[in-house]
Amino acid sequence: MCGIVAGISEKNITPILLEGLKKLEYRGYDSSGISLLFDNEFSLLKETGKVKNLELSISKECSFFGKLGLAHTRWSTHGKVSKENAHPHNSKNFSIVHNGIIENYLGLKGDLIKKGYDFKSETDSEVILYILEESYKSSGSVFKAIQDVIQKTKGSYALGIIHRKNEEVVWSVKKDSPLVIGKTKDMSLMASDKNAIDSCTEEIYYLGDNEIAKLEKKGVTFFTSDGKILYKEGIKIDKNQEIVGKGGFEYFMEKEIYEQPEVIKNTLKNRIKKESIYLDELNRYKRELKKIENVEIISCGTSNHAALISKYWFENILNIPCEVIIASEYRYKTLLTRKNTLFITLSQSGETADTLSALKLINEKNKHLLSISVCNVEGSSIPRESDLTLLTNAGKEIGVASTKAFTSQLAVMLMLIYSIGREKRSLDKEMNSYIIKSLKKLPIKMEEFLNASTSLDSFIKTLENTTSALYIGRSEYGALAMEGALKLKEISYIHSESFYAGELKHGSLALIDENTPVIAIAPFNELFDKIYSNIEEILARNGKVLMLSDKHIISENLISIKMPECPEILKPICYSIPLQYLAFKTAKLKGTDIDKPRNLAKSVTVE
Ligand code: G6P
């Protein structure tokens, strides 16, 4: 999703901005641009496609120079992918980059057109430019112009702003979109995420909603929206952070699939000791944990599938009712928060706008007992809004299609469920030791599932040539079927749908024919006979089924792939591996852009 890097330095800022844009590429985008200010003139370059196209254009310019500038990767919301719609947007006096959506832009645009402003793009962002111009024309103050933007616009924004007559300042303001400010002795920078600037800054600051930052070479001043100076504590950057490469693999997603056994070791590290689980983050909240009577989990995409699986665990292991609500729906429904509700947000990035907004909403209503975020990115917005955070410690996930973040979220959820059960004394001794013993086996079991996944290779050709595939499962595996279908469609662009297997005969069975493969997640458990009946119904109609199970069955039209034995509680985690593998290998065969699939973004920072 849109990414901003901007700043001011003692030297030409172009290489720093370009480097930052490259580090934001993983978020997903379709065009990019850069605007520099030198000798009171803007230089502007924009390109569609990859940042390397922009880099090439810059290299062709003999005098692309400036000590302050703005750069942007755009993920289209308003207006097609084009150079005109790409950011930065420039007017006579201002250059801006915007991440977010201005919801009332149509009304504002109408008013500004009447005042004589000539819009050059189809974007919502361009209204910001002319609000700045209009306000500056009457007040002569950039600060006042920014205050007017805050006052007049509805929606979300992270903004970088420069003014043609001031080569000493880059301005920034944000609301409901992420923005981080970084500084060193002689340089100040801003970016949508700290990845983009952490290699060249010493300290970072998070800008709050409607706070304004004035970036100068020697430092940053923060203001409230009414102009009072704000003191902010900087956070030192850890210079020993991992540098993420592909580790010899061709794709990040591939690496992220294969590193899962190691990643899970990291997720469990220092948390499982001897015969117990210790989530130290929970220590301060033991009183609240004892009181939990209800759970609500809010999330999007793959994280939502982890939430759906966790719901079965909460209800089956702890007997606590658990509701899972998609974040984009949560905001607009009547909130019926029950007594003693634990509110959990699940998010890899910690920046998903819908999830963050839902969390802000419950914080406003303040009817919940405790909010916990399960997140992979320390210091991101969702953890900062939560009472406490359980980090998944999966390491940076770069592939847009989430893999290791999903399995590590599930491992953390199991540890959380165990910890709640211990505080509430609702787990018997047997369940206690079953969870711990199973979790200890998880890395090795994941390794076995990775090895077993190669048995799927012969099926990949079938999938490559199909236009539609169906996924089925029951209970937790129904939720996992959704994840399998999502993985396939997002990276291979093959239409795929998922069903709770028992629902098939209520309509979807009409889709079955010899050209529509069905992937059945059918571990050998107390529901196996039920799902196998559903498989029979498909086979009876000439459907082709790929069955993933620890039970092997021979039948015409059934491709039965034997999965390793594994404790039942770990199966939703382990069975996700062959599904990831299947999607990845199919996409590879189809030659799609696996790490950055078309139209998608890693960090969805707009509603
Ligand atoms: C995007 C990503 C998905 C992810 C979803 C939720 O759509 O492409 O992979 O599952 O956002 O993201 P979150 O960071 O909140 O888990």
Side-chain angles (χ1 to χ4, degrees), residues 308-309 311-312 471-482 498-506 508 531 534:
L308 286 168
I309 292 168
K311 171 185 165 70
Y312 285 90
Y471 285 72
I472 57 168
R474 280 180 172 255
S475 62
E476 296 96 311
Y477 309 99
L480 193 56
M482 293 183 195
S498 57
F499 307 99
Y500 284 96
E503 271 297 290
L504 257 190
K505 53 175 102 52
H506 300 293
S508 314
I531 193 165
N534 304 131

Side-chain angles (χ1 to χ4, degrees), residues 300-303 346-350 352 355 400-402 409 490 600-602 604:
C300 299
T302 290
S303 296
L346 274 182
S347 175
Q348 187 286 129
S349 62
T352 303
T355 312
V400 163
S402 186
Q409 280 173 346
E490 66 186 332
L600 300 182
K602 180 82 187 152
V604 180

Side-chain angles (χ1 to χ4, degrees), residues 196-435:
I197 52 172
D198 57 8
S199 61
C200 48
T201 48
E202 284 153 11
E203 267 187 345
I204 56 159
Y205 303 81
Y206 289 104
L207 203 58
D209 281 350
N210 292 333
E211 289 173 2
I212 299 169
K214 184 181 184 189
L215 282 73
E216 294 165 288
K217 278 176 219 153
K218 297 286 175 214
V220 185
T221 318
F222 299 99
F223 300 91
T224 59
S225 58
D226 53 3
K228 295 194 185 77
I229 289 189
L230 261 178
Y231 174 74
K232 271 188 190 282
E233 193 79 53
I235 303 165
K236 287 253 174 292
I237 291 277
D238 175 5
K239 292 284 175 193
N240 300 318
Q241 283 181 82
E242 48 167 337
I243 296 168
V244 184
K246 290 187 188 149
F249 290 94
E250 204 178 333
Y251 299 92
F252 279 111
M253 184 188 181
E254 188 179 18
K255 185 201 89 170
E256 286 157 6
I257 291 173
Y258 280 93
E259 72 188 359
Q260 288 179 102
E262 280 310 306
V263 162
I264 288 293
K265 280 187 200 158
N266 221 22
T267 307
L268 304 178
K269 197 163 133 198
N270 298 330
R271 286 169 160 171
I272 301 189
K273 288 181 210 151
K274 292 193 179 142
E275 291 318 309
S276 200
I277 290 172
Y278 299 92
L279 294 174
D280 295 342
E281 302 86 336
L282 298 176
N283 287 349
R284 280 179 55 205
Y285 296 96
K286 288 190 172 174
R287 211 167 50 93
E288 285 80 2
L289 296 186
K290 280 195 186 86
K291 283 177 54 193
I292 295 169
E293 287 174 44
N294 295 286
V295 176
E296 285 184 0
I297 315 181
I298 313 298
S299 45
C300 299
T302 290
S303 296
N304 186 251
H305 300 149
L308 286 168
I309 292 168
S310 308
K311 171 185 165 70
Y312 285 90
W313 288 341
F314 267 110
E315 297 186 344
N316 295 344
I317 301 173
L318 292 182
N319 266 316
I320 298 180
C322 173
E323 242 198 292
V324 173
I325 309 150
I326 287 178
S328 51
E329 290 297 311
Y330 189 83
R331 277 178 86 182
Y332 304 107
K333 77 179 202 55
T334 310
L335 294 187
L336 300 170
T337 313
R338 293 191 197 95
K339 209 172 136 223
N340 293 326
T341 293
L342 165 66
F343 186 90
I344 302 176
T345 48
L346 274 182
S347 175
Q348 187 286 129
S349 62
E351 297 296 352
T352 303
D354 285 319
T355 312
L356 179 61
S357 304
L359 179 58
K360 285 184 175 171
L361 186 68
I362 65 118
N363 283 343
E364 253 167 50
K365 303 270 176 212
N366 198 20
K367 289 202 175 132
H368 61 291
L369 178 68
L370 177 70
S371 68
I372 299 183
S373 68
V374 174
C375 188
N376 197 34
V377 182
E378 195 173 8
S380 55
S381 302
I382 292 174
R384 282 185 283 123
E385 290 283 332
S386 307
D387 292 329
L388 76 102
T389 298
L390 298 172
L391 288 172
T392 44
N393 297 333
K396 272 181 199 161
E397 192 180 61
I398 305 281
V400 163
S402 186
T403 51
K404 61 176 182 170
F406 175 75
T407 45
S408 62
Q409 280 173 346
L410 286 172
V412 168
M413 288 305 271
L414 262 184
M415 290 192 280
L416 173 62
I417 285 165
Y418 172 97
S419 308
I420 295 172
R422 184 180 50 206
E423 289 313 316
K424 291 176 78 70
R425 298 185 189 283
S426 57
L427 290 183
D428 59 26
K429 233 175 143 186
E430 214 179 313
M431 183 52 104
N432 243 307
S433 85
Y434 171 64
I435 296 179

Side-chain angles (χ1 to χ4, degrees), residues 52 92 164 186 218 226 231 284 425 443 462 512 589:
K52 62 176 187 289
K92 187 173 146 229
R164 195 170 55 81
D186 51 12
K218 297 286 175 214
D226 53 3
Y231 174 74
R284 280 179 55 205
R425 298 185 189 283
T462 314
I512 300 297
L589 212 58

